[in-house]
Amino acid sequence: MTTAQAGDWLNSLAGGRADLERASTAERVADVLRSRVLEGDLLPGLKLSEEAIGGALGVSRNTLREAFRLLTHERLLVHEYSRGVFVRTPDVADVSDLYVARRVIEGGALHRWHEATDEARQTVRDAVHAGVDAAADERWVDVGTANIRFHQAITGLAGSARLDEQVERLLAELRLAFWVMGDPSEFYRDYVPMNRDLLALLDADRLPEAEEALVRYFDVAENHILSRLRGV
């Protein structure tokens, strides 16, 4: 390659700089919106206003649309022709697939309890305690958020940033499915003691029993959600 050819290639590459900067900003906007899903602020079926969100975040319409595209790819949003962009409602197939992924990822991560750092294990404990405290105060949306944090913390036992990122997306999608269950107190009430019991097994160094408990946990939760989605 000649010097001239190298210069032409670099000039061409520089021409895409604006797109790169916009994409980087769009990813950050997508991170913000995804976090709002995880926190339970964005509900299924909500129509998203480009003007309102763009104004709140101080980003251009093009950047926001790219963020919407990223989140649509993650199945958190859906674009309806001539109507706009809406927060998506997961269906039966989505939930079944999510639990297949969770069994593999969280089950494998839980197996690393003994190899995990003290900080990672404490993060699991903190999430359980936050859920117990929120339930005692009947702050059920906060219980849901603590439950999400609990499962993120289980994944964190693996010490993999890639798994952490993937599970954040999976749990955001699942949080949308949780809203289908209706009254959050009725849905989350049973899972607070299940989280607490699972932690007790881990702290008692009864890892095989904890792994079996997590499998049962996922079976109960999946059937619970699917029954509601199917109208049973």
PDB file of all heavy atoms in Angstrom, residues 140-175:
ATOM      1  N   TRP A 140     -43.529  -2.595  46.979  1.00  0.00           N
ATOM      2  CA  TRP A 140     -43.443  -3.770  46.125  1.00  0.00           C
ATOM      3  C   TRP A 140     -42.709  -3.526  44.813  1.00  0.00           C
ATOM      4  O   TRP A 140     -42.077  -4.434  44.261  1.00  0.00           O
ATOM      5  CB  TRP A 140     -44.836  -4.346  45.893  1.00  0.00           C
ATOM      6  CG  TRP A 140     -45.412  -4.824  47.185  1.00  0.00           C
ATOM      7  CD1 TRP A 140     -46.408  -4.244  47.916  1.00  0.00           C
ATOM      8  CD2 TRP A 140     -44.964  -5.963  47.948  1.00  0.00           C
ATOM      9  NE1 TRP A 140     -46.626  -4.940  49.079  1.00  0.00           N
ATOM     10  CE2 TRP A 140     -45.760  -6.002  49.124  1.00  0.00           C
ATOM     11  CE3 TRP A 140     -43.998  -6.934  47.754  1.00  0.00           C
ATOM     12  CZ2 TRP A 140     -45.595  -6.985  50.094  1.00  0.00           C
ATOM     13  CZ3 TRP A 140     -43.820  -7.924  48.708  1.00  0.00           C
ATOM     14  CH2 TRP A 140     -44.624  -7.937  49.866  1.00  0.00           C
ATOM     15  N   VAL A 141     -42.788  -2.319  44.289  1.00  0.00           N
ATOM     16  CA  VAL A 141     -42.002  -2.025  43.092  1.00  0.00           C
ATOM     17  C   VAL A 141     -40.515  -2.086  43.432  1.00  0.00           C
ATOM     18  O   VAL A 141     -39.699  -2.592  42.652  1.00  0.00           O
ATOM     19  CB  VAL A 141     -42.374  -0.647  42.506  1.00  0.00           C
ATOM     20  CG1 VAL A 141     -41.423  -0.272  41.354  1.00  0.00           C
ATOM     21  CG2 VAL A 141     -43.812  -0.661  41.983  1.00  0.00           C
ATOM     22  N   ASP A 142     -40.164  -1.600  44.621  1.00  0.00           N
ATOM     23  CA  ASP A 142     -38.765  -1.678  45.073  1.00  0.00           C
ATOM     24  C   ASP A 142     -38.348  -3.127  45.323  1.00  0.00           C
ATOM     25  O   ASP A 142     -37.180  -3.492  45.123  1.00  0.00           O
ATOM     26  CB  ASP A 142     -38.574  -0.862  46.355  1.00  0.00           C
ATOM     27  CG  ASP A 142     -38.689   0.631  46.118  1.00  0.00           C
ATOM     28  OD1 ASP A 142     -38.550   1.055  44.958  1.00  0.00           O
ATOM     29  OD2 ASP A 142     -38.920   1.371  47.097  1.00  0.00           O
ATOM     30  N   VAL A 143     -39.305  -3.956  45.754  1.00  0.00           N
ATOM     31  CA  VAL A 143     -39.015  -5.382  45.910  1.00  0.00           C
ATOM     32  C   VAL A 143     -38.648  -5.971  44.551  1.00  0.00           C
ATOM     33  O   VAL A 143     -37.700  -6.754  44.421  1.00  0.00           O
ATOM     34  CB  VAL A 143     -40.223  -6.134  46.507  1.00  0.00           C
ATOM     35  CG1 VAL A 143     -39.975  -7.647  46.474  1.00  0.00           C
ATOM     36  CG2 VAL A 143     -40.479  -5.691  47.939  1.00  0.00           C
ATOM     37  N   GLY A 144     -39.400  -5.569  43.517  1.00  0.00           N
ATOM     38  CA  GLY A 144     -39.093  -6.042  42.178  1.00  0.00           C
ATOM     39  C   GLY A 144     -37.714  -5.621  41.717  1.00  0.00           C
ATOM     40  O   GLY A 144     -36.976  -6.406  41.098  1.00  0.00           O
ATOM     41  N   THR A 145     -37.350  -4.384  42.021  1.00  0.00           N
ATOM     42  CA  THR A 145     -36.012  -3.897  41.649  1.00  0.00           C
ATOM     43  C   THR A 145     -34.930  -4.660  42.404  1.00  0.00           C
ATOM     44  O   THR A 145     -33.906  -5.043  41.828  1.00  0.00           O
ATOM     45  CB  THR A 145     -35.902  -2.387  41.953  1.00  0.00           C
ATOM     46  OG1 THR A 145     -36.892  -1.688  41.189  1.00  0.00           O
ATOM     47  CG2 THR A 145     -34.526  -1.865  41.584  1.00  0.00           C
ATOM     48  N   ALA A 146     -35.161  -4.920  43.689  1.00  0.00           N
ATOM     49  CA  ALA A 146     -34.196  -5.688  44.478  1.00  0.00           C
ATOM     50  C   ALA A 146     -34.070  -7.109  43.935  1.00  0.00           C
ATOM     51  O   ALA A 146     -32.974  -7.688  43.927  1.00  0.00           O
ATOM     52  CB  ALA A 146     -34.620  -5.723  45.947  1.00  0.00           C
ATOM     53  N   ASN A 147     -35.172  -7.659  43.456  1.00  0.00           N
ATOM     54  CA  ASN A 147     -35.139  -9.004  42.891  1.00  0.00           C
ATOM     55  C   ASN A 147     -34.281  -9.035  41.626  1.00  0.00           C
ATOM     56  O   ASN A 147     -33.500  -9.972  41.408  1.00  0.00           O
ATOM     57  CB  ASN A 147     -36.565  -9.456  42.571  1.00  0.00           C
ATOM     58  CG  ASN A 147     -36.635 -10.903  42.152  1.00  0.00           C
ATOM     59  OD1 ASN A 147     -36.247 -11.793  42.896  1.00  0.00           O
ATOM     60  ND2 ASN A 147     -37.129 -11.150  40.945  1.00  0.00           N
ATOM     61  N   ILE A 148     -34.417  -7.994  40.807  1.00  0.00           N
ATOM     62  CA  ILE A 148     -33.578  -7.888  39.611  1.00  0.00           C
ATOM     63  C   ILE A 148     -32.113  -7.794  40.021  1.00  0.00           C
ATOM     64  O   ILE A 148     -31.239  -8.465  39.447  1.00  0.00           O
ATOM     65  CB  ILE A 148     -33.978  -6.650  38.789  1.00  0.00           C
ATOM     66  CG1 ILE A 148     -35.362  -6.844  38.158  1.00  0.00           C
ATOM     67  CG2 ILE A 148     -32.928  -6.342  37.722  1.00  0.00           C
ATOM     68  CD1 ILE A 148     -35.411  -7.872  37.054  1.00  0.00           C
ATOM     69  N   ARG A 149     -31.824  -6.982  41.025  1.00  0.00           N
ATOM     70  CA  ARG A 149     -30.451  -6.824  41.497  1.00  0.00           C
ATOM     71  C   ARG A 149     -29.895  -8.155  42.030  1.00  0.00           C
ATOM     72  O   ARG A 149     -28.706  -8.458  41.867  1.00  0.00           O
ATOM     73  CB  ARG A 149     -30.387  -5.756  42.596  1.00  0.00           C
ATOM     74  CG  ARG A 149     -30.840  -4.373  42.153  1.00  0.00           C
ATOM     75  CD  ARG A 149     -29.816  -3.716  41.258  1.00  0.00           C
ATOM     76  NE  ARG A 149     -30.278  -2.421  40.803  1.00  0.00           N
ATOM     77  CZ  ARG A 149     -30.577  -2.115  39.542  1.00  0.00           C
ATOM     78  NH1 ARG A 149     -30.441  -3.036  38.594  1.00  0.00           N
ATOM     79  NH2 ARG A 149     -30.992  -0.919  39.204  1.00  0.00           N
ATOM     80  N   PHE A 150     -30.756  -8.925  42.670  1.00  0.00           N
ATOM     81  CA  PHE A 150     -30.347 -10.227  43.192  1.00  0.00           C
ATOM     82  C   PHE A 150     -29.858 -11.138  42.064  1.00  0.00           C
ATOM     83  O   PHE A 150     -28.795 -11.760  42.163  1.00  0.00           O
ATOM     84  CB  PHE A 150     -31.522 -10.861  43.933  1.00  0.00           C
ATOM     85  CG  PHE A 150     -31.319 -12.286  44.355  1.00  0.00           C
ATOM     86  CD1 PHE A 150     -30.330 -12.626  45.262  1.00  0.00           C
ATOM     87  CD2 PHE A 150     -32.140 -13.288  43.850  1.00  0.00           C
ATOM     88  CE1 PHE A 150     -30.147 -13.949  45.663  1.00  0.00           C
ATOM     89  CE2 PHE A 150     -31.961 -14.609  44.243  1.00  0.00           C
ATOM     90  CZ  PHE A 150     -30.967 -14.942  45.150  1.00  0.00           C
ATOM     91  N   HIS A 151     -30.608 -11.176  40.989  1.00  0.00           N
ATOM     92  CA  HIS A 151     -30.230 -12.059  39.885  1.00  0.00           C
ATOM     93  C   HIS A 151     -29.043 -11.498  39.101  1.00  0.00           C
ATOM     94  O   HIS A 151     -28.231 -12.271  38.572  1.00  0.00           O
ATOM     95  CB  HIS A 151     -31.441 -12.316  38.993  1.00  0.00           C
ATOM     96  CG  HIS A 151     -32.472 -13.164  39.667  1.00  0.00           C
ATOM     97  ND1 HIS A 151     -32.299 -14.517  39.859  1.00  0.00           N
ATOM     98  CD2 HIS A 151     -33.669 -12.839  40.228  1.00  0.00           C
ATOM     99  CE1 HIS A 151     -33.351 -14.995  40.513  1.00  0.00           C
ATOM    100  NE2 HIS A 151     -34.189 -14.007  40.745  1.00  0.00           N
ATOM    101  N   GLN A 152     -28.921 -10.187  39.046  1.00  0.00           N
ATOM    102  CA  GLN A 152     -27.709  -9.611  38.469  1.00  0.00           C
ATOM    103  C   GLN A 152     -26.497  -9.986  39.321  1.00  0.00           C
ATOM    104  O   GLN A 152     -25.418 -10.284  38.785  1.00  0.00           O
ATOM    105  CB  GLN A 152     -27.824  -8.087  38.389  1.00  0.00           C
ATOM    106  CG  GLN A 152     -28.748  -7.580  37.285  1.00  0.00           C
ATOM    107  CD  GLN A 152     -28.824  -6.068  37.264  1.00  0.00           C
ATOM    108  OE1 GLN A 152     -29.121  -5.433  38.277  1.00  0.00           O
ATOM    109  NE2 GLN A 152     -28.565  -5.482  36.111  1.00  0.00           N
ATOM    110  N   ALA A 153     -26.684  -9.985  40.641  1.00  0.00           N
ATOM    111  CA  ALA A 153     -25.579 -10.305  41.549  1.00  0.00           C
ATOM    112  C   ALA A 153     -25.178 -11.775  41.427  1.00  0.00           C
ATOM    113  O   ALA A 153     -23.988 -12.105  41.529  1.00  0.00           O
ATOM    114  CB  ALA A 153     -25.968  -9.978  42.987  1.00  0.00           C
ATOM    115  N   ILE A 154     -26.152 -12.654  41.217  1.00  0.00           N
ATOM    116  CA  ILE A 154     -25.813 -14.062  41.005  1.00  0.00           C
ATOM    117  C   ILE A 154     -24.934 -14.196  39.770  1.00  0.00           C
ATOM    118  O   ILE A 154     -23.910 -14.880  39.787  1.00  0.00           O
ATOM    119  CB  ILE A 154     -27.090 -14.914  40.872  1.00  0.00           C
ATOM    120  CG1 ILE A 154     -27.780 -15.038  42.230  1.00  0.00           C
ATOM    121  CG2 ILE A 154     -26.752 -16.302  40.319  1.00  0.00           C
ATOM    122  CD1 ILE A 154     -29.074 -15.816  42.186  1.00  0.00           C
ATOM    123  N   THR A 155     -25.329 -13.529  38.700  1.00  0.00           N
ATOM    124  CA  THR A 155     -24.510 -13.559  37.483  1.00  0.00           C
ATOM    125  C   THR A 155     -23.130 -12.978  37.758  1.00  0.00           C
ATOM    126  O   THR A 155     -22.122 -13.455  37.227  1.00  0.00           O
ATOM    127  CB  THR A 155     -25.191 -12.772  36.357  1.00  0.00           C
ATOM    128  OG1 THR A 155     -26.491 -13.303  36.134  1.00  0.00           O
ATOM    129  CG2 THR A 155     -24.392 -12.852  35.066  1.00  0.00           C
ATOM    130  N   GLY A 156     -23.064 -11.964  38.598  1.00  0.00           N
ATOM    131  CA  GLY A 156     -21.800 -11.322  38.924  1.00  0.00           C
ATOM    132  C   GLY A 156     -20.809 -12.247  39.602  1.00  0.00           C
ATOM    133  O   GLY A 156     -19.600 -11.965  39.619  1.00  0.00           O
ATOM    134  N   LEU A 157     -21.280 -13.365  40.147  1.00  0.00           N
ATOM    135  CA  LEU A 157     -20.378 -14.320  40.782  1.00  0.00           C
ATOM    136  C   LEU A 157     -19.391 -14.914  39.775  1.00  0.00           C
ATOM    137  O   LEU A 157     -18.304 -15.347  40.147  1.00  0.00           O
ATOM    138  CB  LEU A 157     -21.177 -15.463  41.428  1.00  0.00           C
ATOM    139  CG  LEU A 157     -22.105 -15.073  42.584  1.00  0.00           C
ATOM    140  CD1 LEU A 157     -22.992 -16.253  42.953  1.00  0.00           C
ATOM    141  CD2 LEU A 157     -21.302 -14.620  43.798  1.00  0.00           C
ATOM    142  N   ALA A 158     -19.790 -14.907  38.500  1.00  0.00           N
ATOM    143  CA  ALA A 158     -18.919 -15.467  37.460  1.00  0.00           C
ATOM    144  C   ALA A 158     -17.737 -14.564  37.163  1.00  0.00           C
ATOM    145  O   ALA A 158     -16.722 -15.013  36.613  1.00  0.00           O
ATOM    146  CB  ALA A 158     -19.716 -15.714  36.182  1.00  0.00           C
ATOM    147  N   GLY A 159     -17.853 -13.272  37.486  1.00  0.00           N
ATOM    148  CA  GLY A 159     -16.758 -12.343  37.234  1.00  0.00           C
ATOM    149  C   GLY A 159     -16.540 -12.048  35.762  1.00  0.00           C
ATOM    150  O   GLY A 159     -15.414 -11.787  35.337  1.00  0.00           O
ATOM    151  N   SER A 160     -17.619 -12.077  34.975  1.00  0.00           N
ATOM    152  CA  SER A 160     -17.516 -11.840  33.536  1.00  0.00           C
ATOM    153  C   SER A 160     -18.314 -10.609  33.144  1.00  0.00           C
ATOM    154  O   SER A 160     -19.549 -10.587  33.283  1.00  0.00           O
ATOM    155  CB  SER A 160     -18.034 -13.052  32.753  1.00  0.00           C
ATOM    156  OG  SER A 160     -18.211 -12.743  31.385  1.00  0.00           O
ATOM    157  N   ALA A 161     -17.641  -9.589  32.631  1.00  0.00           N
ATOM    158  CA  ALA A 161     -18.332  -8.376  32.186  1.00  0.00           C
ATOM    159  C   ALA A 161     -19.284  -8.681  31.039  1.00  0.00           C
ATOM    160  O   ALA A 161     -20.357  -8.073  30.934  1.00  0.00           O
ATOM    161  CB  ALA A 161     -17.301  -7.323  31.764  1.00  0.00           C
ATOM    162  N   ARG A 162     -18.901  -9.624  30.178  1.00  0.00           N
ATOM    163  CA  ARG A 162     -19.763  -9.972  29.042  1.00  0.00           C
ATOM    164  C   ARG A 162     -21.074 -10.595  29.514  1.00  0.00           C
ATOM    165  O   ARG A 162     -22.145 -10.276  29.003  1.00  0.00           O
ATOM    166  CB  ARG A 162     -19.023 -10.924  28.091  1.00  0.00           C
ATOM    167  CG  ARG A 162     -17.901 -10.253  27.306  1.00  0.00           C
ATOM    168  CD  ARG A 162     -17.113 -11.266  26.489  1.00  0.00           C
ATOM    169  NE  ARG A 162     -16.113 -10.612  25.651  1.00  0.00           N
ATOM    170  CZ  ARG A 162     -14.926 -10.216  26.050  1.00  0.00           C
ATOM    171  NH1 ARG A 162     -14.593 -10.374  27.337  1.00  0.00           N
ATOM    172  NH2 ARG A 162     -14.083  -9.635  25.217  1.00  0.00           N
ATOM    173  N   LEU A 163     -20.982 -11.491  30.497  1.00  0.00           N
ATOM    174  CA  LEU A 163     -22.207 -12.086  31.036  1.00  0.00           C
ATOM    175  C   LEU A 163     -23.053 -11.040  31.756  1.00  0.00           C
ATOM    176  O   LEU A 163     -24.283 -11.051  31.660  1.00  0.00           O
ATOM    177  CB  LEU A 163     -21.865 -13.223  31.999  1.00  0.00           C
ATOM    178  CG  LEU A 163     -21.443 -14.551  31.376  1.00  0.00           C
ATOM    179  CD1 LEU A 163     -21.136 -15.568  32.470  1.00  0.00           C
ATOM    180  CD2 LEU A 163     -22.514 -15.082  30.428  1.00  0.00           C
ATOM    181  N   ASP A 164     -22.399 -10.143  32.483  1.00  0.00           N
ATOM    182  CA  ASP A 164     -23.134  -9.085  33.178  1.00  0.00           C
ATOM    183  C   ASP A 164     -23.944  -8.255  32.192  1.00  0.00           C
ATOM    184  O   ASP A 164     -25.121  -7.940  32.436  1.00  0.00           O
ATOM    185  CB  ASP A 164     -22.171  -8.173  33.936  1.00  0.00           C
ATOM    186  CG  ASP A 164     -21.522  -8.860  35.139  1.00  0.00           C
ATOM    187  OD1 ASP A 164     -22.064  -9.888  35.587  1.00  0.00           O
ATOM    188  OD2 ASP A 164     -20.485  -8.358  35.606  1.00  0.00           O
ATOM    189  N   GLU A 165     -23.335  -7.889  31.073  1.00  0.00           N
ATOM    190  CA  GLU A 165     -24.027  -7.087  30.057  1.00  0.00           C
ATOM    191  C   GLU A 165     -25.192  -7.856  29.448  1.00  0.00           C
ATOM    192  O   GLU A 165     -26.278  -7.304  29.241  1.00  0.00           O
ATOM    193  CB  GLU A 165     -23.046  -6.672  28.970  1.00  0.00           C
ATOM    194  CG  GLU A 165     -21.995  -5.665  29.425  1.00  0.00           C
ATOM    195  CD  GLU A 165     -20.944  -5.398  28.364  1.00  0.00           C
ATOM    196  OE1 GLU A 165     -21.077  -5.968  27.242  1.00  0.00           O
ATOM    197  OE2 GLU A 165     -20.005  -4.642  28.642  1.00  0.00           O
ATOM    198  N   GLN A 166     -24.964  -9.133  29.159  1.00  0.00           N
ATOM    199  CA  GLN A 166     -26.012  -9.940  28.546  1.00  0.00           C
ATOM    200  C   GLN A 166     -27.198 -10.116  29.486  1.00  0.00           C
ATOM    201  O   GLN A 166     -28.357 -10.001  29.080  1.00  0.00           O
ATOM    202  CB  GLN A 166     -25.457 -11.310  28.149  1.00  0.00           C
ATOM    203  CG  GLN A 166     -26.441 -12.190  27.392  1.00  0.00           C
ATOM    204  CD  GLN A 166     -26.897 -11.561  26.094  1.00  0.00           C
ATOM    205  OE1 GLN A 166     -26.096 -10.979  25.375  1.00  0.00           O
ATOM    206  NE2 GLN A 166     -28.181 -11.660  25.799  1.00  0.00           N
ATOM    207  N   VAL A 167     -26.915 -10.375  30.762  1.00  0.00           N
ATOM    208  CA  VAL A 167     -27.992 -10.602  31.719  1.00  0.00           C
ATOM    209  C   VAL A 167     -28.750  -9.311  32.014  1.00  0.00           C
ATOM    210  O   VAL A 167     -29.954  -9.337  32.264  1.00  0.00           O
ATOM    211  CB  VAL A 167     -27.442 -11.244  33.015  1.00  0.00           C
ATOM    212  CG1 VAL A 167     -28.452 -11.160  34.154  1.00  0.00           C
ATOM    213  CG2 VAL A 167     -27.092 -12.702  32.742  1.00  0.00           C
ATOM    214  N   GLU A 168     -28.081  -8.184  31.960  1.00  0.00           N
ATOM    215  CA  GLU A 168     -28.786  -6.913  32.125  1.00  0.00           C
ATOM    216  C   GLU A 168     -29.865  -6.772  31.063  1.00  0.00           C
ATOM    217  O   GLU A 168     -30.989  -6.355  31.365  1.00  0.00           O
ATOM    218  CB  GLU A 168     -27.812  -5.737  32.041  1.00  0.00           C
ATOM    219  CG  GLU A 168     -28.506  -4.384  32.193  1.00  0.00           C
ATOM    220  CD  GLU A 168     -27.544  -3.226  32.152  1.00  0.00           C
ATOM    221  OE1 GLU A 168     -26.733  -3.122  33.081  1.00  0.00           O
ATOM    222  OE2 GLU A 168     -27.601  -2.440  31.190  1.00  0.00           O
ATOM    223  N   ARG A 169     -29.542  -7.146  29.834  1.00  0.00           N
ATOM    224  CA  ARG A 169     -30.525  -7.070  28.754  1.00  0.00           C
ATOM    225  C   ARG A 169     -31.651  -8.090  28.951  1.00  0.00           C
ATOM    226  O   ARG A 169     -32.826  -7.785  28.754  1.00  0.00           O
ATOM    227  CB  ARG A 169     -29.835  -7.285  27.411  1.00  0.00           C
ATOM    228  CG  ARG A 169     -28.836  -6.196  27.059  1.00  0.00           C
ATOM    229  CD  ARG A 169     -28.235  -6.398  25.673  1.00  0.00           C
ATOM    230  NE  ARG A 169     -27.355  -5.303  25.317  1.00  0.00           N
ATOM    231  CZ  ARG A 169     -26.052  -5.307  25.473  1.00  0.00           C
ATOM    232  NH1 ARG A 169     -25.464  -6.380  25.970  1.00  0.00           N
ATOM    233  NH2 ARG A 169     -25.314  -4.263  25.128  1.00  0.00           N
ATOM    234  N   LEU A 170     -31.279  -9.297  29.363  1.00  0.00           N
ATOM    235  CA  LEU A 170     -32.285 -10.329  29.591  1.00  0.00           C
ATOM    236  C   LEU A 170     -33.250  -9.938  30.718  1.00  0.00           C
ATOM    237  O   LEU A 170     -34.469 -10.108  30.602  1.00  0.00           O
ATOM    238  CB  LEU A 170     -31.604 -11.656  29.943  1.00  0.00           C
ATOM    239  CG  LEU A 170     -30.778 -12.344  28.859  1.00  0.00           C
ATOM    240  CD1 LEU A 170     -30.107 -13.590  29.432  1.00  0.00           C
ATOM    241  CD2 LEU A 170     -31.631 -12.715  27.665  1.00  0.00           C
ATOM    242  N   LEU A 171     -32.698  -9.399  31.792  1.00  0.00           N
ATOM    243  CA  LEU A 171     -33.532  -9.054  32.934  1.00  0.00           C
ATOM    244  C   LEU A 171     -34.394  -7.828  32.662  1.00  0.00           C
ATOM    245  O   LEU A 171     -35.492  -7.704  33.216  1.00  0.00           O
ATOM    246  CB  LEU A 171     -32.664  -8.843  34.175  1.00  0.00           C
ATOM    247  CG  LEU A 171     -32.012 -10.109  34.741  1.00  0.00           C
ATOM    248  CD1 LEU A 171     -31.083  -9.765  35.905  1.00  0.00           C
ATOM    249  CD2 LEU A 171     -33.069 -11.113  35.193  1.00  0.00           C
ATOM    250  N   ALA A 172     -33.910  -6.923  31.820  1.00  0.00           N
ATOM    251  CA  ALA A 172     -34.745  -5.788  31.440  1.00  0.00           C
ATOM    252  C   ALA A 172     -35.969  -6.277  30.685  1.00  0.00           C
ATOM    253  O   ALA A 172     -37.100  -5.820  30.927  1.00  0.00           O
ATOM    254  CB  ALA A 172     -33.944  -4.811  30.579  1.00  0.00           C
ATOM    255  N   GLU A 173     -35.755  -7.225  29.783  1.00  0.00           N
ATOM    256  CA  GLU A 173     -36.880  -7.801  29.038  1.00  0.00           C
ATOM    257  C   GLU A 173     -37.824  -8.534  29.990  1.00  0.00           C
ATOM    258  O   GLU A 173     -39.048  -8.436  29.876  1.00  0.00           O
ATOM    259  CB  GLU A 173     -36.345  -8.747  27.970  1.00  0.00           C
ATOM    260  CG  GLU A 173     -37.392  -9.202  26.975  1.00  0.00           C
ATOM    261  CD  GLU A 173     -36.825 -10.086  25.890  1.00  0.00           C
ATOM    262  OE1 GLU A 173     -35.589 -10.268  25.822  1.00  0.00           O
ATOM    263  OE2 GLU A 173     -37.631 -10.615  25.092  1.00  0.00           O
ATOM    264  N   LEU A 174     -37.257  -9.249  30.945  1.00  0.00           N
ATOM    265  CA  LEU A 174     -38.079  -9.993  31.888  1.00  0.00           C
ATOM    266  C   LEU A 174     -38.862  -9.057  32.803  1.00  0.00           C
ATOM    267  O   LEU A 174     -40.001  -9.351  33.181  1.00  0.00           O
ATOM    268  CB  LEU A 174     -37.198 -10.924  32.720  1.00  0.00           C
ATOM    269  CG  LEU A 174     -37.940 -12.001  33.510  1.00  0.00           C
ATOM    270  CD1 LEU A 174     -38.636 -12.974  32.566  1.00  0.00           C
ATOM    271  CD2 LEU A 174     -36.966 -12.754  34.412  1.00  0.00           C
ATOM    272  N   ARG A 175     -38.258  -7.919  33.146  1.00  0.00           N
ATOM    273  CA  ARG A 175     -38.968  -6.959  34.019  1.00  0.00           C
ATOM    274  C   ARG A 175     -40.268  -6.510  33.355  1.00  0.00           C
ATOM    275  O   ARG A 175     -41.276  -6.286  34.022  1.00  0.00           O
ATOM    276  CB  ARG A 175     -38.075  -5.751  34.306  1.00  0.00           C
ATOM    277  CG  ARG A 175     -38.713  -4.720  35.288  1.00  0.00           C
ATOM    278  CD  ARG A 175     -38.689  -5.266  36.702  1.00  0.00           C
ATOM    279  NE  ARG A 175     -39.444  -4.473  37.650  1.00  0.00           N
ATOM    280  CZ  ARG A 175     -38.903  -3.683  38.586  1.00  0.00           C
ATOM    281  NH1 ARG A 175     -37.608  -3.562  38.680  1.00  0.00           N
ATOM    282  NH2 ARG A 175     -39.659  -3.035  39.441  1.00  0.00           N
TER     283      ARG A 175
END
